[in-house]
Amino acid sequence: MKKALIFQGGWEGHEPAEVADILAGILIEEGFNVKISDSLSTLEEDDLTTYDLIIPNWTQDKITKEQLTPLMEAVEAGTGLAGLHGGMGDSFRMETDYQFMIGGQWVAHPGNDGISYTVNILDADHPLTEGMEDFTVVSEQYYMHIDPAVKVHATTRFPVADGPYQTNGEVDMPVVWTKRWGQGKVYYNSLGHVAEIVRMPEVIALMRKGMNWATR
């Protein structure tokens, strides 16, 4: 049986425990044995290389070298990494090595929560987005700093909300991307501010496809 680890915590505004339960439910449906941990100490106490997939769900906060190094080494050795929103794309802001592995970092959400925007699916024939169509989300619209090495699977167009960034014109910002880290596969989805958004059928479908894709 495939093994997955979800470590959840950090800023409570992202409802990490509830979101972790939703993601665990998807994985269990897909035949995974899932462990959920609410402590970063699991990263130094467990043998992370025994997991086929790891889900970071930990917004902001700090991580020690003794915790981060085993995580990065496990992914480099082939353990998959997948996650969403700030739980993976805004974790451990001071750790640039972590951001290098993820492929991007949150920097802003103009207009804050409640922005209505479109998620554009780039290739409906790709396994990660197969059969999906563009859809609307009312939530935070994540503006990210992106590694040019990532492969982009869905985007959203800025600007929607007012702000000084508007003078740069329109920008298609990645929403879903993938990359490789050594032998490991990395999947990121910027949607999922709170559990209600994660429960959207489109977000569930994207995470189901993405977590399966990233698995060793």
Side-chain angles (χ1 to χ4, degrees), residues 65-88:
K65 180 180 179 181
E66 291 75 19
Q67 293 161 347
L68 179 58
T69 298
L71 174 62
M72 297 188 65
E73 289 179 347
V75 178
E76 184 178 356
T79 296
L81 194 72
L84 77 175
H85 201 64
M88 180 162 152

Side-chain angles (χ1 to χ4, degrees), residues 88-167:
M88 180 162 152
D90 189 24
S91 308
F92 323 126
R93 290 179 180 176
M94 298 303 293
E95 302 299 335
T96 53
D97 285 343
Y98 173 83
Q99 296 166 20
F100 192 9
M101 176 173 66
I102 299 306
Q105 167 64 34
W106 171 84
V107 292
H109 39 60
N112 299 313
D113 199 6
I115 296 297
S116 180
Y117 61 96
T118 300
V119 174
N120 300 294
I121 302 298
L122 297 188
D123 183 0
D125 294 326
H126 192 281
L128 285 170
T129 49
E130 185 175 5
M132 299 192 68
E133 298 178 349
D134 297 352
F135 60 96
T136 299
V137 180
V138 181
S139 183
E140 292 179 340
Q141 186 185 29
Y142 259 24
Y143 202 101
M144 312 286 293
H145 281 177
I146 306 294
D147 180 349
V150 303
K151 180 174 176 55
V152 180
H153 304 279
T155 62
T156 184
R157 180 158 293 179
F158 284 87
V160 175
D162 292 337
Y165 74 108
Q166 289 178 289
T167 54

